[in-house]
Amino acid sequence: MAKIIGIGKYVPEKVLTNFDLEKIVDTSDEWITTRTGIKERRIAPKNTGASVLAYEASKIALKRSGLKASDIDLIVVATITGDTPFPSTACFLQNHLKAANAACFDVSAACAGFVYGLAAGWQFIKGGLYKNVLVVGSEVLSSITDWKDRSTCVLFGDGAGAVILTASKKDSILSAYLGSDGSESEILMVPAGGSRLPASEETVKNRLHFMKMKGNELFRIAVRVMVQAAGKAIKGAGLEFSDVDLFVPHQANERIISAVSERIGIPREKIYINISRYGNMSSASSAVALCEAYEEKKIKKDDIVVLDVFGGGLVWGSMVIKWA
Ligand code: UT7
């Protein structure tokens, strides 16, 4: 069984506001705010690896856990913007941390990656293979954002969140539910740079190394599967929606969060929302939101916290945590 003993986050210093974006593409603060809830996002310095952001968040999580880097047995990094196509960003992070005793791998589950990573870490501990697991969601989405495409460039930001799980007598993760639908994989993707369409002059010219998204199709699916995932995870924990103390959803669009929470009947004061400050940070969104909720003392011991995420793949998931 496992519990969370440390949590940390890091966002780059540079703030890019909606007003800054008005100067780059044909958009407005009014459109972005009313359609998404986003006011600003953070942008990492050019050529920063996701492992660098992950390192900053992990240092804080480690400090709060009381563990040393050498105590970590496993590092799982959820990212779609890894430092390089391979090796894993988890290996780069291991080297930054000098966590020499850890096994390392990345999780590719887009915006759901942090919950997929947490579920993996939890199960590795439950299965007895590892004792101390570092799970990080880290993204430099600015590196795959097409700054000429107003339909996507206003949505995303950079950041990282990290959690340390350790073996314990009681489980603080009460349940997890993960789902996917590969038949919809083309509606949110980076088309080129993989084996199917390796980098070439043509792919660069056609801007195929940037994110492409069919926003309103995704919106409808997101609401449906996030409602379903939260329901399954809460039922799996033997609880009701009324037992939830804090709901921490993926921060892709404030209207998605409102639609999901209305359908499951969670009141506004029980939802953690920080999208206005960071935009969508993919796998880092739920990790950073969980960390900020903790830092702002919105989570107390024994509170029931529900993560609920959705992203490209398509992938989704929800996890119920009883805060230890
Ligand atoms: O992280 C997980 C995956 N991501 C998501 O789940 C995102 C889900 N989707 C969304 O959040 C929303 O669909 C968006 C925020 C992406 C778009 O909002 P929307 O209300 O679905 O807008 P739309 O795509 O239907 O576009 C409406 C109009 C269009 O103009 P016309 O065709 O009606 O004249 C767009 O060209 O808004 C226009 N538009 C913009 N206008 C100003 C699109 N982007 C912008 C922009 N500024 N940045």
Side-chain angles (χ1 to χ4, degrees):
M1 286 175 280
K3 67 176 178 180
I4 293 173
I5 54 165
I7 185 161
K9 69 148 209 289
Y10 175 77
V11 289
E13 266 172 40
K14 185 181 167 188
V15 175
L16 186 72
T17 66
N18 292 349
F19 297 105
D20 296 328
L21 283 166
E22 284 181 357
K23 294 176 200 142
I24 304 174
V25 285
D26 178 17
T27 191
S28 65
D29 171 59
E30 204 260 328
W31 190 95
I32 303 170
T33 307
T34 53
R35 295 291 179 125
T36 71
I38 302 166
K39 296 298 283 183
E40 58 188 42
R41 66 289 291 145
R42 301 300 180 97
I43 304 292
K46 225 173 163 32
N47 302 338
T48 304
S51 69
V52 175
L53 276 55
Y55 175 51
E56 296 300 329
S58 301
K59 278 193 291 187
I60 298 167
L62 259 180
K63 192 158 180 224
R64 287 179 174 155
S65 74
L67 297 183
K68 298 186 295 297
S70 57
D71 296 325
I72 300 296
D73 307 309
L74 174 67
I75 300 175
V76 181
V77 175
T79 188
I80 52 165
T81 48
D83 290 33
T84 56
F86 84 92
S88 71
T89 297
C91 279
F92 289 114
L93 174 60
Q94 174 192 33
N95 192 42
H96 298 322
L97 286 168
K98 306 285 171 248
N101 301 316
C104 300
F105 66 88
D106 286 359
V107 165
S108 176
C111 309
F114 180 61
V115 169
Y116 270 65
L118 273 180
W122 174 45
Q123 291 300 312
F124 270 113
I125 292 174
K126 275 183 91 123
L129 194 56
Y130 298 118
K131 187 164 178 280
N132 300 314
V133 179
L134 168 63
V135 180
V136 190
S138 183
E139 302 289 3
V140 185
L141 294 178
S142 57
S143 67
I144 56 165
T145 296
D146 186 347
W147 296 103
K148 290 188 172 170
D149 175 9
R150 69 173 185 174
S151 72
T152 54
C153 77
V154 303
L155 303 173
F156 301 102
D158 302 335
V163 149
I164 304 215
L165 291 170
T166 197
S168 66
K169 288 209 179 78
K170 266 169 79 182
D171 230 340
S172 77
I173 297 177
L174 304 184
S175 69
Y177 170 78
L178 306 176
S180 305
D181 179 3
S183 72
E184 299 282 9
S185 44
E186 313 271 329
I187 68 177
L188 174 55
M189 71 189 312
V190 173
S195 48
R196 199 164 94 178
L197 195 55
S200 66
E201 269 179 47
E202 203 64 15
T203 60
V204 172
K205 201 175 81 201
N206 293 328
R207 310 185 78 74
L208 297 180
H209 296 273
F210 297 123
M211 263 182 289
K212 312 283 175 207
M213 180 170 88
K214 293 189 183 140
N216 35 35
E217 280 179 46
L218 266 177
F219 191 110
R220 281 190 298 277
I221 304 174
V223 174
R224 178 170 50 79
V225 298
M226 285 176 75
V227 168
Q228 184 205 76
K232 292 206 175 197
I234 288 169
K235 194 166 174 224
L239 299 172
E240 309 280 339
F241 281 113
S242 55
D243 296 317
V244 176
D245 295 298
L246 192 71
F247 184 60
V248 183
H250 175 46
Q251 317 272 319
N253 187 321
E254 194 161 345
R255 290 188 294 134
I256 295 179
I257 297 175
S258 301
V260 170
S261 49
E262 267 164 33
R263 281 169 177 71
I264 61 183
I266 293 201
R268 183 79 180 189
E269 63 274 14
K270 288 190 173 182
I271 310 169
Y272 191 82
I273 305 179
N274 62 6
I275 188 171
S276 62
R277 286 177 285 130
Y278 302 128
N280 180 350
M281 298 181 287
S282 190
S283 69
S285 272
S286 51
V288 169
L290 185 66
C291 181
E292 289 199 332
Y294 166 80
E295 287 171 347
E296 291 167 15
K297 303 198 177 351
K298 296 208 159 95
I299 307 177
K300 304 179 303 295
K301 189 175 178 317
D302 292 333
D303 272 359
I304 299 294
V305 179
V306 175
L307 300 173
D308 194 19
V309 294
F310 165 80
L314 299 176
V315 284
W316 55 89
S318 181
M319 178 172 271
V320 179
I321 302 166
K322 183 168 184 173
W323 204 257

